[in-house]
Amino acid sequence: MKMIIAIVQSKDSNRLRKAFANNHIQMTQLSTTGGFLREGNATFLIGIEDERVQDVLDIIKKNAKSREQYVTSQMHMDVEGGSAFPVNVQIGGATVFVMPVEQFHKF
Amino acid sequence: MKMIIAIVQSKDSNRLRKAFANNHIQMTQLSTTGGFLREGNATFLIGIEDERVQDVLDIIKKNAKSREQYVTSQMHMDVEGGSAFPVNVQIGGATVFVMPVEQFHKF
Amino acid sequence: MKMIIAIVQSKDSNRLRKAFANNHIQMTQLSTTGGFLREGNATFLIGIEDERVQDVLDIIKKNAKSREQYVTSQMHMDVEGGSAFPVNVQIGGATVFVMPVEQFHKF
Ligand code: NI
Ligand code: NI
Ligand code: NI
């Protein structure tokens, strides 16, 4: 048994929750208040059998990994008028800790 | 020193908090938002000396274990009218992780 | 990599958050609901490289340790009128757990 703590972007949390449910992975989502560097994050607590740790990591990676996305930015300049062009931004990203568990009980 | 993470049914959380207090066991209750499979749960974080781990487990078991309860169900049927009868439902249940602690400090 | 769980007094949490930010230490603040003995506390989750654990401990100690503070107490007595005098009260205090991490991933 391991305890996995996963911190992901808020925008990926719904998708990740659904993926966990579809794969029968039980988790608890912690309410977090923004740290200075953690604004807009979601934290998941997942207790999982050793042999399923890699499955959980794969699901987190698939649904919350850092990736680039083109968004259309509108820039208004003082001189010549505005222009709209696509900008490549980084979204998502997950920080994951796998921790040992010494005893696991179901009462 | 160990860190115990206990996830119990919300309906058992008040009783469990009181039992911890009566036994001088310090804990922190985390605010959790419902996962798909975790609706209505409460999560406790308990840092505890090795020799008291079993006490904590016993208290959780006593106050939050899964058990059967007869409730009176009222079923309204379209055909013949309603009927009230006792139904045996499963309530409670605790999932508990005991985790190692390498350093413990009080400042 | 280690996971540090730090429980401090709420009144020290803003100062501690700023100190973490100034030292480029990423953390997540968990929302907690008061336990019987934990009213007014704040809980931080900090994933950190082994060689920075002592830095984190020093920052917590510096910003949230238990200390004495003189406050002016106003006592109104029934018999002879009121009197104001300084009282030495204990404020702050941090409980810190350093826990092992088996795997750390950034996706
Ligand atoms: Ni299925
Ligand atoms: Ni007592
Ligand atoms: Ni700097």
Side-chain angles (χ1 to χ4, degrees), chain A residues 7-96:
Chain A
I7 302 161
V8 305
Q9 293 283 302
S10 294
K11 59 169 68 68
D12 291 330
S13 65
N14 276 336
R15 190 167 46 163
L16 187 53
R17 266 204 308 271
K18 281 176 197 162
F20 284 143
N22 289 341
N23 288 277
H24 309 290
I25 292 163
Q26 294 211 331
M27 56 81 201
T28 299
Q29 184 174 349
L30 303 181
S31 296
T32 51
T33 56
F36 279 65
L37 301 166
R38 286 293 188 198
E39 217 82 58
N41 284 12
T43 300
F44 293 94
L45 216 59
I46 306 137
I48 197 83
E49 301 83 7
D50 293 44
E51 58 272 20
R52 298 185 73 199
V53 166
Q54 191 56 53
D55 287 351
V56 173
L57 294 176
D58 290 344
I59 288 166
I60 296 169
K61 189 174 184 178
K62 184 173 178 189
N63 290 282
K65 73 159 181 267
S66 181
R67 66 265 183 200
E68 295 186 335
Q69 192 177 54
Y70 279 95
V71 295
T72 299
S73 163
Q74 274 187 327
M75 220 171 89
H76 296 277
M77 297 189 292
D78 287 341
V79 199
E80 287 287 314
S83 72
F85 58 95
V87 180
N88 204 0
V89 295
Q90 204 76 17
I91 62 164
T95 303
V96 186

Side-chain angles (χ1 to χ4, degrees), chain B residues 30-65:
Chain B
L30 302 181
S31 296
T32 52
T33 55
F36 279 66
L37 301 166
R38 286 291 185 200
E39 217 81 59
N41 284 12
T43 299
F44 292 95
L45 216 59
I46 306 137
I48 197 82
E49 301 83 8
D50 293 45
E51 58 272 21
R52 296 186 74 200
V53 167
Q54 191 56 53
D55 287 351
V56 173
L57 295 176
D58 290 344
I59 289 166
I60 295 168
K61 190 174 183 177
K62 184 174 178 188
N63 290 282
K65 71 158 182 267

Side-chain angles (χ1 to χ4, degrees), chain C residues 21-24:
Chain C
N22 289 341
N23 287 278
H24 309 290

Side-chain angles (χ1 to χ4, degrees), chain C residues 31-78:
Chain C
S31 296
T32 51
T33 56
F36 278 65
L37 301 166
R38 287 293 185 198
E39 218 80 60
N41 284 11
T43 300
F44 292 95
L45 217 60
I46 306 136
I48 196 84
E49 300 84 7
D50 293 44
E51 59 272 21
R52 298 187 72 199
V53 166
Q54 191 56 53
D55 287 352
V56 173
L57 294 176
D58 290 344
I59 289 166
I60 295 169
K61 189 173 183 178
K62 184 173 178 188
N63 290 282
K65 72 158 181 270
S66 179
R67 66 266 184 199
E68 295 185 336
Q69 194 176 53
Y70 280 95
V71 296
T72 300
S73 162
Q74 276 188 326
M75 219 171 87
H76 297 277
M77 297 187 292
D78 288 340

Side-chain angles (χ1 to χ4, degrees), chain B residues 66-82:
Chain B
S66 180
R67 67 265 184 198
E68 295 186 335
Q69 193 177 52
Y70 280 95
V71 295
T72 300
S73 164
Q74 276 188 328
M75 219 172 88
H76 298 275
M77 298 188 292
D78 287 340
V79 198
E80 288 288 311

